[in-house]
Amino acid sequence: MKTKNYILVCITLMLSFSAFPQQGKQKRADTLFNKFSFVKAAKVYRELIQNNYNKDYATRQLADCYAFLRDPRNASRFYKNVVKQKNVPVEYYYKYAQSLRGMKKYDESQIWLQRFKDSGGVVNSNDFSKDANFITSVFGAKQQYFLDRIYFNSKFSDFGAFEHNGKVYFASTRDEGVSIKRLYGWNEQPFLDIYVADVGTKRNVDHSAKVKGDVNSIYHDGPVTITKNGHTMYFSRNNFTEDIEKKDKKGLTNMKIYRATLQDSIWTNIEDLSINSDDFSTQHAALNVDETKLYFSSDRPGGYGGSDIYVVDINIDGTLGEPQNIGDVVNTENSEGFPFINNEGVLFFSSDGHPGLGLYDIFGTIKGEDGNIADVINLGVPVNSNKDDFSFTMNQNGITGYFASNRKGGRGDDDIYAYHRKPVLHVEGVVTDAINTNPIPNSKITLFDENDNQIAYMETDENGYYQINIDRNKDYKIVANQDKYIDDYRNFTSKNIQTELTTITANLLLNPKPNVIKLAELNNIYFDFNKYNIRKDAALELDKIVSLMQNDYPDMVIRIESHTDSRGNLTYNDKLSIDRANSTYEYLISKGIAPERITEHQGFGERRLTNGCEDGKDCEEEDHQLNRRTQFIVVKME
């Protein structure tokens, strides 16, 4: 035998199993992070760091988790490591500075703030005006929300915008065009009514746009929420039913939540809900995602102070359970109101009790490992200002929505503002073999910026898939590498893309290196239903393997694995797969392959299906055919 360097190659359909759990952990951690589940995400990022897997990226993400959890001690601990990383984005200097402020290390914070400025970072002075509001400053480093113009505000109070089926419903005191106006003594403005307009309208919305039916009264009405099917509306109103106004012991008319149904395009059948009382206010209705729970605000006895946010079950017959205060993580000794639940199940609300930028601010919530609310986060500018900001809603697309504010620059008292959110963007793709189009697991994926600085890396999963979070408005290069293949790369950009776009696809195709290119020719062979004889097409493939092993790789050693489809019982299929393995083995031996060059020939029955054609699934014959196969695994080659 010639003197050569021998390479031990283990090429199987499931290469390097040890890396798979780490890939899965990173993907899971990123998913949790993107859904605001920062407690769970932090735990997984810690595990990735302990296993030294994509450590720099995991450390950045872990530090951000603690920042969002209002934990400056742990945030600064990990940001300290982040800012030492090579080519780290300058925004992390800012975040580190803010975490140090959260620990009252002001001198050290100023050093890193100056480094942020020296590196090209731009600081909004408002971001540093609130020492207590650490998380708002972190959010301010990277703007999440952007304001869009709307045209239906008036010189009066407008708020509570809620979008449904191309219409936007809102509460307003405008009452323009009405000759006789009833004024609310508190602010000498007309009482609130509920209006509806086309989304994006540029036309004036006057008294003719009031919601049709019985929901508007002579007192305050609104805001509203509507079920997905459009049949039921929950709305706030003064304690006024059947033309009778009721007052409490102090002579005040409280708020209630009423329910109306849509009949022939008219909102009617007004129902006073069981959660209401003449003695306290109940208002600001919001539904959870599956519409089984009603959230609301109330100043009923037993709360933490001011008004609190409560939740109550909606039974199948429409009756309501007992209201539950959602707890002191959200509720404070001051006032909380205007709850809203988005499609991800995240609760948003307004409060003047949590640290904020002004009076009422808008907050989101974070869930802990047990699924309960663990903390709240201030949405920062431009959603919040130094004035009152409230009645936040988000549309079904999860990108756009509305809120209200009495900030400077509006048209009237309270104005409605539309926003669009820039969601997390990621690049994803599949790495495949250019010869046989099979996915390549454990390919190393490296992301570079426009200056060829490495941003992040990861490995593809068992399906050759990868996903990496990226920033918008930047140019990138993605490179795929695997030991036995020639590298492939793609240049792509996240500039000038639609806000709604959350995924950029960059598939990569790897060509085998010349010394292993023939290994792609070890194709599977297939069998007829309930048979194990070698078909003509299978014989042609087996002859290729014989030639490969005899002429190109005389020291190659392989393993044979045979399978069945799911039809038939488990025991029978085990025997059938063994018969298929034996017939494959015997064919190769008959063509001159030495028995010692086939380490095993095993049958696995229906235990390793390649698709979803399990028992009870309706699959086409060609899908079952893909499971009736023999595979060849290279165990050793020269």
Side-chain angles (χ1 to χ4, degrees), residues 8-11 556-559 599 633-637:
L8 181 61
V9 182
C10 298
I11 304 176
M556 180 188 290
V557 178
I558 65 172
R559 184 173 77 248
T599 60
I633 314 303
V634 177
V635 176
K636 178 183 177 182
M637 60 173 289

Side-chain angles (χ1 to χ4, degrees), residues 627-638:
N627 291 315
R628 301 193 300 267
R629 69 201 188 279
T630 288
Q631 298 169 284
F632 304 92
I633 314 303
V634 177
V635 176
K636 178 183 177 182
M637 60 173 289
E638 183 179 2

Side-chain angles (χ1 to χ4, degrees), residues 63 176 195 230 278 285 353 459 484 503:
E176 294 172 301
Y195 291 75
D278 296 339
E459 292 183 353
K484 302 193 179 308
T503 301

Side-chain angles (χ1 to χ4, degrees), residues 322-339:
E322 286 297 318
Q324 300 293 323
N325 189 299
I326 65 172
D328 60 358
V329 175
V330 168
N331 294 315
T332 68
E333 62 184 11
N334 292 342
S335 294
E336 282 71 43
F338 295 95

